[in-house]
Amino acid sequence: DYTGACTHFEESLTLFRQTGDKWGMGMPLLNWGYTDSLQGNLDAARDRLEESIAMLRQVGERTARSVTLNILAHVVQQQGDYEQAAVLYTESLDLLRKMGIEASTADVIYNLAYLVHTQGHFPLAAKLYKESLDLFSRQENEEGIAKCRTGLAAVTGVPKEMR
């Protein structure tokens, strides 16, 4: 029930704003923005996710911020802002690498690979798919491995004159 969820997010956010807890404000904004993105409310999702990132940045929270950046990148990619999506995926990736979180790193690299693939940057996409594949393989993540192999097949199947 989206309406019910929004009521809970609103009430949670109001309480955290009253206490001044910026980390607390960032979390319902993250989850509300993600929920909006699933509902196709991309403008609302973008606004909430950007506000969440600002709150989380102020308190130095890196894990939730990296997740939020990845979700926001996906939202702006859906809105057609591919350059900004690449910037956001890269920022998320930088945070994840600094923290050494391989599982999420593999996902973000895959997302970036898919973005550059759809933009026709086949050699870079292949490099990123391979990097993500290596991480997914170490984790024995079969779904991730399958996604990367599909991406690699797609970019290597492009005729040489089009690469």
Side-chain angles (χ1 to χ4, degrees), residues 44-99:
R46 187 172 186 163
D47 291 344
R48 289 188 177 100
L49 294 167
E50 287 173 346
E51 188 177 354
S52 174
I53 290 167
M55 294 293 147
L56 296 170
R57 185 173 280 127
Q58 287 178 29
V59 296
E61 210 315 313
R62 298 184 306 171
T63 305
R65 194 168 88 223
S66 68
V67 170
T68 311
L69 286 161
N70 186 47
I71 296 167
L72 179 58
H74 184 70
V75 168
V76 300
Q77 182 177 344
Q78 288 179 291
Q79 291 177 318
D81 192 348
Y82 305 115
E83 188 173 309
Q84 182 63 19
V87 167
L88 293 165
Y89 283 134
T90 301
E91 186 178 347
S92 176
L93 189 54
D94 290 344
L95 283 171
L96 291 166
R97 283 182 169 150
K98 286 177 186 172
M99 293 183 292

